[in-house]
Amino acid sequence: AYTGDSLAGLIVRAQSDDSCEAQALIRFAVRARTTYRIVVSGFGQAQGPFLLRWSGDAKPSNDDFARARRVSGARGSVRGSNVGASAEPGERPHAGRPAAASMWYRWRSPSTRMVSLETCGASFDTLVAVYRGRSMRRLRVVGQNDDSCRLASRVVFRAVRGVVYRIAVDGYGGRVGTFRLRWGRATAAALACRVPDVRGIPLPRARESLRQAGCRLGRITYVRSARVPSGFVVAQRPRPRTLMRPPRRVQLDVSRGRT
């Protein structure tokens, strides 16, 4: 979707590829009496019939970062819905996925401790990310997650007394629905991590994948491999999908090539 009165002057407002399987879904905020240009194209010059649908919903009050809803207390919960929400210009990805229908919250930690923040039980596939920072451009990731509890999300992090945390709840691929955002002291079950499969990917990506899952990187052993490129993960311990209790350290064998 674009705005603009000429091809040379078009400004991108939203775009997507494969956000709903092989089809596309976009969400964006619109203004009254503004004309939007919508382009539908086939990937790789693919052709065929299609049905273009559109609908509009009221914008939630905490759709924008600057209007984040304030929540408080050592523990609590709040109901929400991201129907009608959209991504802001320049909004960063959440949990590795492009921002699409995000809602914003802000929470000041009353104490220093391990905290669990989750949307478990949501009606749709959620993404949750926790940040520090006063502006969108200066946000620093504290923790983020996708699919920690089925298709919903749980982030466990060390909260520091007096620090304000910015929380984004988004839908995977622009999905929308209702959710309950819960926060409180992290239980032993919440502190556990489900080990992701990091075999066959570069070490930096493996580090990030483990971090997003709430796991810690343990010992790295460099091994010779004629089949796996240098710097890529050859093997991991424990195996993928294992549920690990603290300290949740995953050991990796990383290729150093043939030599």
Side-chain angles (χ1 to χ4, degrees), residues 111-129:
S111 61
T112 298
R113 62 178 179 176
M114 294 299 294
V115 170
S116 172
L117 193 149
E118 65 177 52
T119 57
C120 300
S123 68
F124 64 107
D125 191 347
T126 66
L127 308 168
V128 171

Side-chain angles (χ1 to χ4, degrees), residues 28 54 67 75 81 86 95 113 121 163 169 183 209 215 245:
F28 58 100
W54 63 94
R67 302 189 65 186
R75 60 178 297 180
S81 169
S86 61
R113 62 178 179 176
V163 172
V169 178
W183 65 95
S209 182
C215 301
R245 304 293 181 182

Side-chain angles (χ1 to χ4, degrees), residues 18-21 25 27 82 94-102 124-128 145-147 151-153 169-176:
D18 296 349
S19 56
C20 46
E21 297 185 359
L25 168 70
R27 292 182 176 276
N82 70 333
H94 305 303
R97 300 291 301 182
S102 57
F124 64 107
D125 191 347
T126 66
L127 308 168
V128 171
N145 180 256
D146 174 29
D147 296 351
L151 293 180
S153 314
V169 178
D170 204 345
Y172 182 97
R175 289 169 174 79
V176 298

Side-chain angles (χ1 to χ4, degrees), residues 131-233:
Y131 303 95
R132 290 181 62 171
R134 295 184 178 182
S135 67
M136 185 81 76
R137 296 181 60 185
R138 295 180 178 273
L139 290 180
R140 290 183 294 147
V141 178
V142 174
Q144 52 189 346
N145 180 256
D146 174 29
D147 296 351
S148 181
C149 42
R150 296 183 182 273
L151 293 180
S153 314
R154 177 187 292 120
V155 177
V156 178
F157 63 101
R158 183 178 181 272
V160 178
R161 181 179 179 180
V163 172
V164 175
Y165 295 92
R166 316 285 177 158
I167 303 157
V169 178
D170 204 345
Y172 182 97
R175 289 169 174 79
V176 298
T178 58
F179 61 90
R180 181 186 287 273
L181 179 65
R182 302 177 182 87
W183 65 95
R185 184 185 296 274
T187 63
L191 289 171
C193 80
R194 183 74 65 179
V195 179
D197 189 352
V198 298
R199 296 169 296 182
I201 66 175
L203 181 57
R205 282 181 53 197
R207 289 180 188 272
E208 178 61 19
S209 182
L210 291 172
R211 189 180 69 81
Q212 289 190 18
C215 301
R216 295 185 179 182
L217 178 59
R219 185 178 63 214
I220 300 175
T221 303
Y222 288 89
V223 299
R224 294 180 180 179
S225 176
R227 301 177 60 184
V228 179
S230 177
F232 283 62
V233 177

Side-chain angles (χ1 to χ4, degrees), residues 30-67:
V30 298
R31 292 184 177 182
R33 295 182 294 277
T34 297
T35 300
Y36 295 89
R37 317 284 180 173
I38 301 166
V39 175
V40 179
S41 182
F43 182 84
Q45 298 184 342
Q47 299 180 356
F50 64 88
L51 178 63
L52 179 64
R53 301 182 181 91
W54 63 94
S55 63
D57 296 289
K59 180 178 179 178
S61 60
N62 56 328
D63 183 28
D64 294 341
F65 175 84
R67 302 189 65 186

